[in-house]
């Protein structure tokens, strides 16, 4: 029992550097038992409520429906291009040639290309399903955005009610191999740099994906309230991801509480402005198809659920960074009060706010870039563009998420400052050894 008391005793001058290095790369200093009890009293009921919510709303699978054959709601199989032959477009598209040769319109120019250009006649072999080995022909126009080549893997759509010669058609390119390779490179990079933390981050990512695909999506399709399902699912993802990646510590618990408060704010603001702006959530073919297949789904609630889930990932980053910053400031100067910790932490947070908000806005703008190009081509005014439901959804999504992110910085910073400054470890070796460097540091500042 004497070794714990004797370990901290030898503290030569280089020890100050060693102390900082330990806190930068190791776990945070433990807080008092009383403070741990207070944090547990908040988080244990919350975690229990999340588990109860998961059990109560667990969907038990995606509900069955009769396929419509429209959009993504089609039966698909794997295929392979076995032969590509160049043919005259007039021979394969004679029936599609319009009576006029006017090239002043896009449709007219396309018709002339179909008549005079060289098309590709591809033979496709089905490589999966009951019709494995069956072949069919696909004609590719010269100006088609997707050209086929021999040996290429493709995804083929199957329409059982169509005539036999028209049952199969190419719907997309098979990208499984490059996507799997890219995912493997990503995983290796994360593990190589993050090591054990990287492994835990990948495990947390798998858990997040499992909650999304096994709980959130099926529960919404079963008719559960999208907002309630999103809050429960996002809370489960938050608890799993933060504690797996950063450990079960008081510092992580403060980040969890800050994230939860920010998510509640995003949910309230999103619900208010989605309703006030009369956003239906049904703005394109995909959402229209979902509404047609499952008319009981609340599409505006689905939009709000997307806002909450989309904001969660960035919120985790902000709250963990702010909490860690305050903890490290406290380790550097244990005598600093909560107001000093808050002021120092919020200065760090302001830089974080500027970069994160800009990142979020650019991410949404990049996703909506084709839509913005269409408005630019139409020479629509900014007001007209912003008023359209398609763009208004993205504006509300971006601004509500950004407000939550901005609010998370002071909320998490003040929580971390209050918690770490309220911590009063007993009069133990750790407190006595921490006091000496603090006095030495003040002495050095006076001399300076």
């Amino acid at each position: 029992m004497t070794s714990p008391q004797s370990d901290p005793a030898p503290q030569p001058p280089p020890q100050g550097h060693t102390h900082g290095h330990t806190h930068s790369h190791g776990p945070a200093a433990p807080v008092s038992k009383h403070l741990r009890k207070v944090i547990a009293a908040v988080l244990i009921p919350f975690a229990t409520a999340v588990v109860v919510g998961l059990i109560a709303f667990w969907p038990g699978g995606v509900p069955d429906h009769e396929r419509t054959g429209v959009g993504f709601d089609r039966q698909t199989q794997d295929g392979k291009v076995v032969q590509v032959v160049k043919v005259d477009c007039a021979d394969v598209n004679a029936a599609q040639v319009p009576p006029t040769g006017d090239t002043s319109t896009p449709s007219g120019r396309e018709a002339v290309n179909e008549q005079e250009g060289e098309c590709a006649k591809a033979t496709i072999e089905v490589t999966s399903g009951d019709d494995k080995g069956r072949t069919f022909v696909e004609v590719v126009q010269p100006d088609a955005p997707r050209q086929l080549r021999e040996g290429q893997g493709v995804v083929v759509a199957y329409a059982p009610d169509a005539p036999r010669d028209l049952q199969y058609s190419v719907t997309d390119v098979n990208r499984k191999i490059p996507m799997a390779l890219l995912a493997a490179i990503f995983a290796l990079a994360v593990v190589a740099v993050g090591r054990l933390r990287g492994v835990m981050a990948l495990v947390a990512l798998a858990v997040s994906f499992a909650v999304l695909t096994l709980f959130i999506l099926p529960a919404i399709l079963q008719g559960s309230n999208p907002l309630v399902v999103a809050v429960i699912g996002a809370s489960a993802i938050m608890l799993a991801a933060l504690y797996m990646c950063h450990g079960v510590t008081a510092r992580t618990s403060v980040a969890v509480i800050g994230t939860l408060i920010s998510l509640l704010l995003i949910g309230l603001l999103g619900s208010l402005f989605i309703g006030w702006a009369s956003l239906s959530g049904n703005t394109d073919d995909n959402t229209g198809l979902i509404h047609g297949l499952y008319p009981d789904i609340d599409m505006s609630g689905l939009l709000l659920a997307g806002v909450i889930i989309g904001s969660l990932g960035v919120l985790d980053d902000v709250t963990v960074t702010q909490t860690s910053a305050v903890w490290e400031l406290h380790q550097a100067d244990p005598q600093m009060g909560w107001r000093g910790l808050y002021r120092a932490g919020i200065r760090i947070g302001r830089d974080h706010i500027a970069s994160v908000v800009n990142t979020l806005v650019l991410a949404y703008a990049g996703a909506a870039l084709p839509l913005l190009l269409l408005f630019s081509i139409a020479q629509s005014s900014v007001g007209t563009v912003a008023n359209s439901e398609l763009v208004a959804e993205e504006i509300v999504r971006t601004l509500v998420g950004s407000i939550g992110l901005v609010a998370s910085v002071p909320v998490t910073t003040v929580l971390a400052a209050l918690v770490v400054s309220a911590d009063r470890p007993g009069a133990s070796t750790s407190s006595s050894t921490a006091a000496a460097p603090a006095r030495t540091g003040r002495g050095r500042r006076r001399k300076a």
Side-chain angles (χ1 to χ4, degrees), residues 258-270 307 311-312 314-316 318-319 353 356-357 360 396-412:
T259 305
L260 176 62
I261 294 173
S262 303
L263 279 179
L264 292 175
L265 176 62
I266 289 172
L268 291 173
L269 287 175
V307 173
S311 302
L312 177 61
V314 190
L315 272 178
D316 287 351
V318 172
T319 55
I353 286 173
V356 167
V357 169
L360 193 63
V396 170
R397 194 195 312 268
T398 302
L399 295 184
V400 167
S402 298
I403 291 171
L405 289 174
V406 171
S408 71
V409 171
V411 167
T412 307

Side-chain angles (χ1 to χ4, degrees), residues 31 36 59 64 100 146 148 229 231 272 276 290 370 379 383 405 411 414:
V31 297
R36 290 198 299 270
D64 295 330
T100 176
R146 181 177 60 242
L148 301 179
V229 170
V231 169
L272 172 63
W276 194 2
I290 293 172
Q379 297 182 348
L405 289 174
V411 167
V414 74

Side-chain angles (χ1 to χ4, degrees), residues 342-359:
Y342 174 78
R343 286 193 293 267
I346 204 69
R347 286 195 293 270
I348 299 172
R350 290 191 184 107
D351 292 335
H352 207 179
I353 286 173
S355 61
V356 167
V357 169
N358 192 46
T359 299

